[in-house]
Each structure stands twice: as C-alpha cells, then as structure tokens.
Amino acid sequence: MKHTKKALFFRLLWYIIMILVSLVFCFPVLYLIFTGFKTPQETVAFPPTLIPKKWTLSAYEEGLSSGIFSKYLLNSIFVSGMVVIGTVSSAALVGFGFARLRSRMKNFLFMLVLATMMIPSSVTLIPVYSIYSKIGWIDTYLPLIVPAFTGGGAFSIFLIKQFFLKLTVQDGLLFFGKCFFQTQSLFFW
C-alpha cells in the first residue's frame, strides 16, 4: 500500500496534534509529581514553577514517618478488598440468575435494577445517611462494605449478566456444567 506525500503529511500532522493534546492532559500529573520533590516554600511560591529548584524528599519522609500513613493504607486495602469480594460474589449470583434462570418477572426485575442507575446519588444521599445513622453505622466501615454484598450495583449486575449470556455450549464451561452437574445452579459454582 503506497502512501502519498499528502497522506503522510496529514498523518504526521495528526500525530503531532495528538502528542500536544496528550501533553496538555498529562501536565497536571507531571506538576503533581514534581511538586512532591519541592520544599514547602517552593510549593506555595508565586508564580509556580514546574521543576523544583532544590530537590528534596522531605515531603515523602514526613508523610511516611508520621505513622498514620500506614493506617490509611491498611484501611484502604481492607475496604477496597472487601468491596471487590462483595461486588464480584453478589453481582455474579444476581447476574447468573438474570441470565440463566427462568422466571416470568425476570425481565421486569432486570429493568427495575437498571432503572436504579438513572437515580442520581445526590438524591439518595440524605435518606441513606439517615438510615445508616438510625442503625448505628456512622463512623464504621459497614456503610462502605455492606452495600457491595447486596448486589454490587446495577452496572456490575448488568456486566456479569452479559458475560453469562455469552457462554454457550461451544465454550465448554456451560456444556461441562450441564453435563457433569446436571443443574444450572451447580454450574455456577
């Protein structure tokens, strides 16, 4: 396939434009990284500079030696780990039910689940907070973790339902599940 000079020029121009646009989007991240190596005075100096005049690791040393960083890190790992486990396990159960089990109300219930994605979270913020307050979950991990174990969210259910719908006899998994275990529910496990 031969490229003309005009086509090569426009392709080169396109790549230059994409590189410039990506640099614009990468600038805040680069500024963040370089600011971590600045002194406190240089961080708040006006006009700001991108590259530090004096390179230092004092911000990182102070943050890591304060002792509270490890607590924040462990909290984040614990909460995100529990949310991942809860979302995957519960959304997989619900998604499998919507994809493979038969019911007259299945489509209606699935549309109802999807309709919850249209409700803005700001609308439910105060009622959910008052519920958590009444059951004593304020200042605990429970409001962050428990909702993940109750379905994992409409998008997760939709995504896993679509995965189970794509499984066919040719994939082997569905064939193995039906032949070996003889039931749909045992196939899931």
Side-chain angles (χ1 to χ4, degrees), residues 160-180:
I160 294 179
K161 176 192 181 253
Q162 295 305 108
F163 167 75
F164 280 123
L165 284 176
K166 294 293 179 190
L167 289 181
T168 61
V169 175
Q170 289 81 17
D171 289 332
L173 292 173
L174 195 56
F175 178 76
F176 177 77
K178 284 185 174 179
C179 292
F180 188 74

Side-chain angles (χ1 to χ4, degrees), residues 60-82:
Y60 294 106
E61 291 170 356
E62 184 181 336
L64 293 173
S65 66
S66 66
I68 201 159
F69 177 78
S70 59
K71 179 182 178 184
Y72 291 157
L73 181 65
L74 290 175
N75 285 347
S76 298
I77 291 171
F78 171 72
V79 170
S80 60
M82 293 302 292

Side-chain angles (χ1 to χ4, degrees), residues 1-60:
M1 183 174 165
K2 282 181 113 177
H3 293 289
T4 64
K5 288 184 179 183
K6 186 177 181 181
L8 286 174
F9 172 75
F10 282 114
R11 177 172 275 187
L12 181 64
L13 182 66
W14 178 247
Y15 284 140
I16 291 171
I17 291 170
M18 287 193 302
I19 289 170
L20 291 175
V21 169
S22 66
L23 287 176
V24 168
F25 284 104
C26 290
F27 180 77
V29 177
L30 290 174
Y31 187 77
L32 175 81
I33 292 169
F34 285 130
T35 301
F37 294 106
K38 294 179 182 179
T39 62
Q41 295 79 20
E42 201 175 351
T43 302
V44 295
F46 188 80
T49 58
L50 177 63
I51 301 192
K53 292 176 184 148
K54 180 182 176 190
W55 292 76
T56 179
L57 293 173
S58 63
Y60 294 106

